[in-house]
Amino acid sequence: MTIAPERVEDLVTALRTVLREDQILTSKTDRYNRARVPAPFPVHRWAERVPDLAVLPTTTEQVADVVRIANELRIPIVPRDGGTGLTDGAVPLRGGIVVDVKRMNKIWEIDLDNRTATVGTGISMLKLNEELGKHGLFYPDDPASYPCSLVGGRIGTSGWSLIGSRYGHTRDLVLSFDLVLPTGEVMHVGDGIGRKISKSSSGYQLKHLFMGHQGTLGIATEATLKLYPKPEAELSPFWAFDNYDDAYACVGALARAGVATFAGAVLFDEWKVAYLRRDDEAYIPQPNDVRALVCAVMYGYEDEVRPAGKRLFRIAKEHNARYLGDEISEGDWAARHDRYATPLHGRTKDGQVVPMSWHCEDAAVNYTRLPSVTKAWHEIVADLRRKTDVFDDWGMFAYTSADTGVDYLTEIDVGIWEQQLDDRAWELWVQAKREIAAVAISHQGSISACHGSCREGEVDLVPDELGRGFDVMLEVKRALDPNNIMNPGKYLLDRAYDTEDPA
Ligand SMILES: Cc1cc2nc3c(=O)[nH]c(=O)nc-3n(C[C@H](O)[C@H](O)[C@H](O)COP(=O)(O)OP(=O)(O)OC[C@H]3O[C@@H](n4cnc5c(N)ncnc54)[C@H](O)[C@@H]3O)c2cc1C
């Protein structure tokens, strides 16, 4: 959906009062480039999700001016950082303005004594860590999209980090940030009046509210982040198992061991191992008797990681694990931080190789629920495959979210033949997404640990997951965004405006 051409002209005229000409992008290429996201969508419908223009602000004041203009003119506005989000958060469902914050990528301060960095939210963790490394420091927000997702998008999604079991996830690592509210006012979000307090009990704890909202409550422009010593040692043993049950028992035991340098563990199920063997060129193929894999990761100083490793190796051995050797262990772990180059092909039911894009469905699930969620999700995808050749099951991972092993980011990777995604196949997929989300909820989990849950299908179950909390979301949205201009159409938040009298 787009806005009328004469309104676009009025908008451009207004934007010229606050931005330079080169910061206002109206060409088709610029607009289409900022409509793209990795999650597959029917090609014949791509034109529905293109912004009317994009802007490239460089300061908080400019973002605030743009938002104020959008609010006055009642024009939709969508924040976009790396555009790697997998729940369509940065997709402009109603046209309007995409605010691309990539030029806000300065490092404003590295505070060596308090161990913080203050940055523009358009910076990537990769670039930031290149600078921090010079001081022996690092910022440990480490998604598999590490090189190309940006700090603002991490705030917008409240992202999950591969090494979060040791360092925490985005919400733990971001201390504070400046946020442009949907009315154009600027608000400082965080604990305390300064930027660098990690714990306060004063007032409502608003930081969590303003993270993970998928750009529906404002645009984060400058953030202060917690830093850690750059780890001297990284140990990431990969073990093979000849059955899923041993691997499952092993990952649980490793995560529950309470080893201080433990940064995370990953369980690869049979489907994933078969897929890696079959189709992922980046992986060193495993013999057929390997049916499941586990990887554990330890980060820290050499003299703490080495004994910790001994302990975890002992636990793995007790669970019939076979160590795969240093080369595979180091190589595969390195590749985990940069999964952008996922394979571009999959297979039909008959084994025919066809072009496919990757899609990942994720949920937060307790350890004890993993086997039954795994089974139910594979059945959903198998059912899809019985109905059409557009989908392939690329297997599942379960990654620890916490240092105690309480819950796991559980993901099923689905190959989608995007060029063949017609209306019928899309409907089947949306229904499958609903079923995948329903399984997570029926297992007392959450629809998403990682990406958010505002894409078609899964979003229908958000009110079921949140209960009264969903009504609170509507009330907050209406209060902060009276004209529904900030990323409209997401998270069923239009319902906040459906009532006759919002007051
Ligand atoms: C290969 C691959 C691997 C991935 N692995 C992981 C992983 O391990 N962990 C994980 O958490 N995610 C992962 N993701 C998903 C994605 O990278 C994350 O959701 C990431 O946080 C998005 O960041 P981004 O900069 O690309 O944001 P975008 O996609 O641009 O935006 C994401 C959302 O945040 C909003 N937003 C963007 N900028 C701002 C801002 N400045 N202020 C407020 N809201 C904003 C957008 O409107 C949108 O709703 C992966 C994605 C890919 C493609």
Side-chain angles (χ1 to χ4, degrees):
M1 229 185 293
T2 53
I3 56 179
E6 60 277 11
R7 295 190 71 209
V8 178
E9 273 173 43
D10 291 347
L11 174 62
V12 172
T13 307
L15 290 174
R16 283 190 180 128
T17 64
V18 296
L19 297 175
R20 290 188 317 270
E21 201 63 36
D22 68 316
Q23 294 178 293
I24 307 169
L25 309 178
T26 53
S27 79
K28 194 171 176 184
T29 311
D30 284 329
R31 293 185 296 117
Y32 269 75
N33 276 337
R34 286 166 182 81
R36 282 198 65 230
V37 289
F41 186 67
V43 178
H44 68 280
R45 293 182 52 196
W46 280 9
E48 291 170 16
R49 305 162 137 222
V50 181
D52 291 286
L53 56 83
V55 294
L56 288 168
T58 51
T59 63
T60 301
E61 292 67 36
Q62 284 185 342
V63 175
D65 287 340
V66 171
V67 174
R68 205 172 303 118
I69 288 169
N71 191 39
E72 276 164 21
L73 298 177
R74 309 285 193 267
I75 286 177
I77 187 158
V78 180
R80 180 179 172 101
D81 264 35
T84 67
L86 291 168
T87 191
D88 290 353
V91 170
L93 296 179
R94 309 266 161 85
I97 310 169
V98 160
V99 178
D100 182 335
V101 306
K102 257 186 235 80
R103 283 195 188 163
M104 301 180 61
N105 58 358
K106 284 205 172 57
I107 299 176
W108 294 106
E109 185 197 48
I110 298 175
D111 178 342
L112 297 177
D113 297 322
N114 290 308
R115 289 283 158 93
T116 64
T118 299
V119 299
T121 50
I123 196 166
S124 72
M125 281 72 74
L126 175 76
K127 283 284 158 209
L128 174 59
N129 277 329
E130 278 170 12
E131 280 310 307
L132 294 175
K134 296 172 189 166
H135 305 280
L137 295 173
F138 94 136
Y139 175 59
D141 189 4
D142 188 5
S145 54
Y146 175 77
C148 39
S149 55
L150 312 179
V151 167
R154 302 296 291 151
I155 292 172
T157 56
S158 196
W160 176 97
S161 166
L162 288 161
I163 50 176
S165 299
R166 162 131 208 208
Y167 298 103
H169 302 282
T170 312
R171 65 185 186 185
D172 310 300
L173 296 167
V174 173
L175 289 171
S176 69
F177 50 94
D178 287 339
L179 183 83
V180 176
L181 290 164
T183 48
E185 296 156 279
V186 180
M187 172 184 174
H188 185 65
V189 179
D191 296 304
I193 196 166
R195 295 183 154 273
K196 302 176 184 174
I197 301 296
S198 77
K199 171 74 180 78
S200 138
S201 290
S202 185
Y204 291 171
Q205 304 294 294
L206 293 178
K207 195 175 82 175
H208 280 245
L209 174 63
F210 289 105
M211 298 185 79
H213 56 78
Q214 297 285 346
T216 61
L217 292 182
I219 306 180
T221 55
E222 202 173 301
T224 299
L225 315 170
K226 240 161 120 179
L227 306 180
Y228 286 79
K230 192 173 174 195
E232 194 177 73
E234 218 181 281
L235 183 64
S236 55
F238 274 63
W239 294 286
F241 298 82
D242 50 22
N243 63 74
Y244 174 85
D245 292 345
D246 279 350
Y248 167 69
C250 181
V251 82
L254 294 167
R256 288 190 297 265
V259 166
T261 53
F262 176 76
V266 193
L267 169 65
F268 302 48
D269 79 347
E270 299 104 305
W271 295 80
K272 179 58 79 183
V273 173
Y275 163 70
L276 293 173
R277 186 183 295 127
R278 188 189 79 184
D279 272 336
D280 188 338
E281 299 89 348
Y283 192 73
I284 301 162
Q286 291 304 310
N288 282 337
D289 61 345
V290 173
R291 307 302 296 273
L293 294 171
V294 169
C295 154
V297 188
M298 286 146 276
Y299 275 37
Y301 293 106
E302 196 71 57
D303 52 4
E304 45 181 6
V305 165
R306 218 175 306 112
K310 271 194 189 146
R311 178 175 289 267
L312 295 197
F313 266 91
R314 203 163 55 237
I315 294 171
K317 203 167 166 207
E318 285 161 14
H319 290 85
N320 309 319
R322 273 178 281 152
Y323 181 51
L324 287 176
D326 296 349
E327 190 186 338
I328 291 181
S329 296
E330 287 164 21
D332 198 286
W333 179 245
R336 301 271 122 218
H337 314 270
D338 188 4
R339 298 304 288 169
Y340 218 88
T342 46
L344 294 174
H345 67 270
R347 304 214 184 194
T348 64
K349 288 190 287 288
D350 308 329
Q352 172 71 37
V353 173
V354 295
M356 281 198 179
S357 316
W358 164 72
H359 190 62
C360 164
E361 288 293 308
D362 83 297
V365 171
N366 286 124
Y367 173 72
T368 47
R369 304 284 187 155
L370 283 178
S372 101
V373 168
T374 302
K375 188 165 171 287
W377 279 9
H378 282 307
E379 277 166 12
I380 292 168
V381 179
D383 189 45
L384 260 184
R385 274 167 71 71
R386 275 191 288 277
K387 292 176 182 149
T388 161
D389 251 346
V390 174
F391 304 98
D392 191 5
D393 186 335
W394 289 358
M396 286 181 60
F397 289 120
Y399 299 85
T400 51
S401 277
D403 52 357
T404 60
V406 54
D407 60 336
Y408 286 65
L409 153 62
T410 309
E411 75 173 56
I412 185 158
D413 295 318
V414 180
I416 302 185
W417 192 355
E418 206 169 0
Q419 292 87 337
Q420 299 290 327
L421 204 50
D422 57 14
D423 290 336
R424 174 178 172 266
W426 178 248
E427 249 329 297
L428 288 172
W429 174 235
V430 168
Q431 179 53 27
K433 284 169 67 60
R434 279 188 204 110
E435 290 166 17
I436 286 169
V439 168
I441 294 176
S442 69
H443 285 79
Q444 276 74 55
S446 167
I447 299 173
S448 175
C450 193
H451 306 132
S453 40
C454 62
R455 210 173 189 231
E456 238 179 290
E458 70 212 8
V459 75
D460 299 332
L461 282 91
V462 169
D464 294 348
E465 178 179 335
L466 299 185
R468 174 75 178 103
F470 181 68
D471 301 328
V472 173
M473 266 176 75
L474 298 181
E475 286 154 23
V476 169
K477 174 69 175 171
R478 196 165 53 218
L480 293 179
D481 186 5
N483 299 313
N484 195 15
I485 57 131
M486 192 55 78
N487 211 353
K490 303 287 160 63
Y491 265 135
L492 309 176
L493 289 166
D494 287 348
R495 292 184 189 174
Y497 306 89
D498 284 348
T499 50
E500 291 283 300
D501 175 16

